[in-house]
Amino acid sequence: MRDRGRVLVARLDDAGDVLLAGPAVRAVRTRAREVVFLAGPNGRAAAEVLPGVDRVIVWRAPWIDHTPPPVTGEGVEELVEAAGGIDEAVLLTSFHQSALPLALLLRLAGVKRITAISNDYPGSLLDVRHVVDESVDVPEAERMLAVAEAAGFALPEGDDGKLAVQRPLPDIGKFTGHCVGVGGVADKGAYVVVHPGTSAPARTWPAERHRQTVRELADDGHQVVVTGTERDLTAYVASDVAVDLGGVTTFAELAAVIERAGVLVAGNTGPAHLAAAVGTPVVSLFAPVVPAVRWAPYGVPAVLLGDQEAPCRGSRARVCPVPGHPCLSQVTSEQVVKAVRELTQ
């Protein structure tokens, strides 16, 4: 019975983080009359494809955004007005983020019941304070689902708790016509997707390694599709060997392209979580600036490459703090091709 009214679920950072909130959203959906998702600009497209979301509000949080805007009365008023009519809120944060600034603003908007993780004393800002041991690494999707459960929302019977996207996904024949199978549709596994971009330099494998990998994958018998938003980068990586889809797909179309792939090759970035949401294995070029236990592809076969004991471990750095970027620069194209082979056999 959906007796909890209009419930806001908030995750204010990037697309991958929003996708990892999917199981928590589906839990809230079981008892909410309407689910409103509060996302940052970088997470909007991901929020729009989450099953169970009825409406998305976009707001740029000064304490979370990578290029934070100044705190202004107008910005506060914008959120307070957008959150009007919300009965309850479930605030989802990473271990290095605080839910309390958002809780304060939602109180000003009249939200009566708020649940979040807070190891700091929340006073009257929270109704349900979920306390966790931050020294213990758990997958981010499970951490967020636990917050929903603390608020009294549980996954419906039969829900496996994995990541998911809304169905049906768009037709992608115009992008993958080179890989047609029976009926003119690209069969599952017809190609490998290589996604060279990331949102932070510290998580990025060198472009020339991606380009070499594309060539070696082609030599190994794979058709290759290169995706991303940085068109100069995707064009360089694709060269004259792969199909370059840089800058031409919507987020939902990207999900469909990745779903048809046998494997995705990507760093710790949104499309790696999108692959998990559509059931595609991942070769994960994972820099240990954040723990892989928390942010590695969730619920799908994956091969993790990168020195997880490198000096940058746990630094949360966006720009590599170690000369030479050793955690990823030591990964070879041969290792990636071997990992793709393992996941496709």
Side-chain angles (χ1 to χ4, degrees):
M1 180 178 179
R2 294 181 173 175
D3 58 354
R4 300 282 284 269
R6 182 177 289 114
V7 182
L8 181 141
V9 178
R11 181 77 199 214
L12 286 164
D13 34 15
D14 293 331
D17 306 294
V18 170
L19 290 169
L20 287 163
V25 168
R26 299 198 305 273
V28 171
R29 172 79 273 174
T30 60
R31 296 190 64 187
R33 185 177 68 250
E34 180 185 5
V35 175
V36 179
F37 199 99
L38 176 62
N42 295 329
R44 176 178 193 162
E48 290 173 343
V49 302
L50 284 184
V53 171
D54 296 299
R55 179 162 58 96
V56 177
I57 297 172
V58 180
W59 190 71
R60 193 174 165 201
W63 62 93
I64 287 180
D65 198 274
H66 302 312
T67 54
V71 178
T72 65
E74 292 81 2
V76 169
E77 289 172 4
E78 176 189 351
L79 178 62
V80 169
E81 181 178 349
I86 297 295
D87 299 298
E88 182 172 349
V90 177
L91 312 186
L92 305 176
T93 52
S94 291
F95 70 97
H96 54 84
Q97 298 168 343
S98 172
L100 299 185
L102 180 58
L104 173 61
L105 299 186
L106 293 178
R107 285 295 195 219
L108 294 177
V111 179
K112 300 300 184 184
R113 189 173 192 265
I114 302 176
T115 299
I117 291 174
S118 183
N119 289 334
D120 294 322
Y121 173 61
S124 60
L125 297 181
L126 299 181
D127 299 283
V128 180
R129 176 191 183 189
H130 185 54
V131 179
V132 300
D133 182 354
E134 299 291 17
S135 68
V136 178
D137 290 326
V138 298
E140 194 74 355
E142 295 177 14
R143 172 192 171 91
M144 289 190 278
L145 179 58
V147 180
E149 291 172 341
F153 301 101
L155 285 171
E157 185 175 352
D159 191 315
D160 60 10
K162 292 184 178 181
L163 308 191
V165 293
Q166 293 179 15
R167 304 290 179 160
L169 290 171
D171 177 75
I172 54 166
K174 62 184 177 181
F175 300 128
T176 58
H178 69 296
C179 305
V180 295
V182 178
V185 178
D187 294 326
K188 173 67 176 176
Y191 51 84
V192 172
V193 171
V194 174
H195 189 94
T198 66
S199 62
R203 303 180 185 184
T204 304
W205 200 43
E208 58 270 18
R209 296 282 177 87
H210 280 101
R211 181 182 171 104
Q212 181 63 27
T213 295
V214 167
R215 292 190 174 278
E216 292 181 17
L217 285 170
D219 291 342
D220 204 42
H222 298 283
Q223 298 185 83
V224 184
V225 174
V226 179
T227 59
T229 58
E230 303 163 81
R231 302 191 71 169
D232 289 344
L233 174 62
T234 61
Y236 174 78
V237 170
S239 183
D240 58 351
V241 175
V243 172
D244 176 14
L245 296 185
V248 302
T249 60
T250 65
F251 197 80
E253 288 170 340
L254 178 61
V257 169
I258 293 173
E259 182 183 40
R260 286 291 175 183
V263 176
L264 169 74
V265 177
N268 178 21
T269 189
H273 303 299
L274 195 55
V278 297
T280 296
V282 181
V283 176
S284 178
L285 298 156
F286 199 97
V289 289
V290 294
V293 171
R294 292 180 183 262
W295 278 285
Y298 183 72
V300 292
V303 175
L304 208 66
L305 298 177
D307 181 4
Q308 300 306 301
E309 302 300 323
C312 65
R313 180 184 180 189
S315 65
R316 306 205 314 266
R318 294 186 59 78
V319 177
C320 184
V322 182
H325 202 193
C327 69
L328 288 182
S329 64
Q330 295 177 16
V331 177
T332 66
S333 55
E334 291 83 2
Q335 288 175 296
V336 175
V337 173
K338 179 183 177 184
V340 169
R341 197 177 298 139
E342 291 174 1
L343 290 171
T344 54
Q345 289 178 346

